[in-house]
């Protein structure tokens, strides 16, 4: 069930790698993912004049991962499941009434229905989590960073590199996408704003990106001129338990660090682990949910720990941190080329 009218959603590029790559292989969707994938394999950091100062590979494995716009990934997965699942769009859950053998689900628009199991895979601001486990504030920790993205109609010379410019505490990335370049503004801020309030978002962005270096002014103007934007805080989700009776959580709803935690791969791996657990003991759902949680928690833990490294790399706090990062990346590149030669 999906609250949107279709599988549109943000074009933010997400990775299918590690266990998720194998899941895609098993689903038979790899060639479709490759066709929809971006060509990006490198991130280049530039100075105020756009000159490269450091770079890093973005792929951990050259031939075992693919970066796909999130909207394409969802469309391909939805299509793959069409024969086996019923989809409801433009719908939301209003109430959950669980008992020992199932859950009565009260929908916003359609008549109530009863299910053996409810899986809340409704993202970082999960409605199922709120209804079954309590308010969002109990599980979400704002990490003092925000991310804003939008497709911007600007020129980009290469389709295989992301270009990033930093100021202390802020980053702007220009990603080629698959034809329509995307700008991403990722920044540290102590401000507490409602991510659904467009005026507050615009004010915060203008205030944060007031220095006109590199293509800041051009990209910010392009972002502010479009309505189809994504904005949210970078948050960590931690839930003490993913299941309560016949209700369970999956993907970002259960555990994530927004854009820093391999979330889409983790969500796909989690879905496969949940499906395997349910298949191996269909008559004992609580045991299956316990097995799913124990196996998949072990897989998500290291990803949650990686957030500090990723955020220091992408959004250094000071000029000194920026310089140290660039030097470290240049050194690592030199080492790689010595080993390769
Ligand atoms: C800018 C950005 C860049 C990212 N980059 C990467 C990356 O490079 N690699 C990576 O692996 N991950 C990345 N991520 C994270 C990744 O997008 C998420 O971890 C992943 O999409 C999580 O999948 P999910 O299915 O759990 O939730 P989501 O993708 O958030 O999907 C939840 C769905 O539920 C729907 N929904 C929400 N609430 C309700 C409701 N109440 N009722 C009904 N439907 C509802 C939503 O419309 C949505 O379609 C990035 C995230 C961002 C924001």
């Amino acid at each position: 069930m999906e609250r949107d009218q279709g599988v549109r959603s943000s074009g933010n590029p997400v990775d299918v790698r590690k266990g998720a790559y194998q899941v895609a292989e098993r689903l038979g969707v790899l060639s479709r993912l490759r066709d929809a994938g971006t060509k990006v394999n490198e991130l280049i950091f530039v100075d105020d004049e756009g000159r490269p100062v450091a770079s890093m590979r973005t792929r951990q494995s050259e031939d075992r991962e693919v970066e796909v716009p999130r909207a394409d990934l969802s469309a391909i997965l939805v299509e793959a499941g069409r024969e086996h699942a019923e989809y409801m769009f433009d719908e939301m859950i209003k109430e959950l009434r669980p008992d020992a053998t199932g859950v009565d689900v009260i929908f916003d628009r359609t008549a109530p229905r009863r299910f053996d199991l409810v899986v809340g895979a409704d993202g970082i601001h999960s409605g199922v989590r709120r209804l079954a486990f309590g308010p969002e504030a109990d599980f979400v920790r704002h990490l003092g960073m925000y991310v804003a993205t939008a497709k911007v109609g600007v020129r980009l010379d290469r389709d295989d590199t992301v270009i990033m410019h930093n100021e202390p505490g802020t980053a702007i990335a220009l990603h080629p996408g698959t034809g329509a370049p995307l700008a991403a503004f990722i920044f540290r801020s102590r401000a507490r704003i409602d991510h659904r309030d467009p005026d507050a978002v615009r004010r915060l962005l203008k205030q944060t990106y007031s220095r006109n270096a590199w293509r800041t002014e051009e990209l910010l103007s392009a972002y502010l001129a479009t309505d189809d934007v994504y904005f949210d805080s970078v948050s960590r989700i931690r839930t003490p338990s993913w299941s309560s009776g016949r209700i369970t959580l999956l993907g970002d709803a259960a555990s994530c660090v927004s854009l820093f935690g391999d979330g889409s791969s983790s969500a796909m791996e989690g879905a496969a682990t949940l499906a395997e657990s349910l298949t191996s003991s269909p008559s004992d759902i609580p045991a299956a949910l316990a097995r799913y949680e124990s196996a998949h928690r072990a897989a998500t833990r290291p990803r949650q720990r990686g957030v500090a490294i990723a955020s220091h790399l992408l959004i250094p706090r000071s000029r000194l941190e920026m310089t140290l990062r660039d030097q470290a990346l240049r050194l690592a590149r030199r080492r790689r080329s010595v080993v390769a030669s």
Side-chain angles (χ1 to χ4, degrees):
M1 193 211 57
E2 164 63 51
R3 73 173 165 200
D4 282 348
Q5 289 180 355
V7 286
R8 289 171 300 118
S9 91
S10 90
N12 288 326
V14 295
D15 299 303
V16 177
R17 57 161 70 121
K18 298 184 183 159
Y21 193 88
Q22 290 155 19
V23 174
E25 250 171 353
R26 278 179 4 229
L27 289 173
V29 297
L30 263 186
S31 64
R32 292 201 60 201
L33 290 180
R34 290 217 168 277
D35 289 347
T38 76
K39 298 198 172 96
V40 166
N41 56 33
E42 191 173 31
L43 170 60
I44 297 180
F45 297 97
V46 296
D47 66 13
D48 286 1
E49 274 70 48
R51 289 177 302 229
V53 289
S55 65
M56 59 185 273
R57 311 285 305 166
T58 56
R59 293 188 188 219
Q60 293 170 8
S61 154
E62 212 39 68
D63 53 353
R64 303 283 298 166
E65 69 182 69
V66 53
E67 186 191 58
V68 194
R70 188 193 164 285
D72 292 313
L73 175 61
S74 2
I76 290 167
L77 292 177
V78 163
E79 201 46 49
R82 223 174 253 293
E83 263 183 44
H84 314 282
E86 173 194 348
Y87 295 112
M88 292 162 79
F89 290 97
D90 198 14
E91 185 55 284
M92 287 175 77
I93 296 175
K94 259 175 48 183
E95 204 185 323
L96 293 167
R97 293 185 193 145
D99 56 43
T101 57
V103 187
D104 289 315
V105 177
I106 318 301
F107 294 103
D108 192 32
R109 292 163 167 275
T110 44
R113 285 169 72 175
R114 185 168 174 80
F115 296 91
D116 293 333
L117 173 67
V118 169
V119 180
D122 47 353
I124 201 161
H125 304 291
S126 168
V128 170
R129 190 184 58 222
R130 177 174 40 78
L131 292 171
F133 297 87
E136 183 165 309
D138 291 357
F139 311 108
V140 177
R141 192 171 144 228
H142 176 34
L143 297 178
M145 291 170 267
Y146 288 96
V147 56
T149 66
K151 282 187 182 153
V152 284
V154 301
R155 192 184 53 79
L156 206 52
D157 295 331
R158 289 176 60 175
D159 62 1
D160 59 351
T161 48
V162 177
I163 305 169
M164 182 173 274
H165 178 266
N166 288 106
E167 291 283 329
T170 74
I172 303 184
L174 192 47
H175 190 295
T178 47
L182 274 153
F185 301 79
I186 314 170
F187 57 100
R188 299 177 186 276
S189 170
R190 288 182 198 280
R192 283 306 177 104
I193 64 161
D194 181 350
H195 68 278
R196 290 157 301 193
D197 177 349
D199 291 335
V201 169
R202 293 165 78 87
R203 270 197 306 276
L204 183 60
L205 279 167
K206 282 187 194 164
Q207 211 176 31
T208 308
Y209 289 91
S210 56
R211 182 169 174 257
N212 183 24
W214 185 53
R215 299 172 71 170
T216 304
E217 195 176 358
E218 174 197 11
L219 296 177
L220 186 59
S221 303
Y223 178 94
L224 296 173
T226 170
D227 289 333
D228 188 11
V229 296
Y230 170 88
F231 181 87
D232 208 344
S233 61
V234 175
S235 302
R236 173 163 35 217
I237 304 288
R238 273 193 184 148
T239 37
S241 167
W242 292 353
S243 302
S244 162
R246 297 259 178 157
I247 302 170
T248 194
L249 300 174
L250 176 65
D252 277 7
S255 152
C256 84
V257 225
S258 318
L259 76 162
F260 292 126
D262 258 355
S264 39
S265 289
S266 178
M268 286 174 68
E269 286 170 32
T273 306
L274 176 59
E276 280 154 18
S277 298
L278 290 167
T279 310
S280 69
S281 60
S283 53
D284 190 351
I285 287 182
L289 295 181
R291 261 199 319 278
Y292 149 65
E293 179 164 341
S294 130
H296 194 54
R297 256 191 204 279
T300 56
R301 224 167 274 132
R303 286 170 161 148
Q304 289 229 347
R305 284 195 214 112
V307 64
I309 299 169
S311 66
H312 279 100
L313 197 62
L314 296 181
I315 334 172
R317 289 175 191 278
S318 62
R319 295 221 174 264
L320 177 64
E321 274 191 24
M322 280 162 60
T323 306
L324 292 175
R325 186 241 358 237
D326 294 346
Q327 281 173 355
L329 289 175
R330 284 198 292 266
L331 198 62
R333 195 176 188 91
R334 234 173 277 144
R335 278 218 184 108
R336 266 202 313 275
S337 55
V338 169
V339 170
S341 59

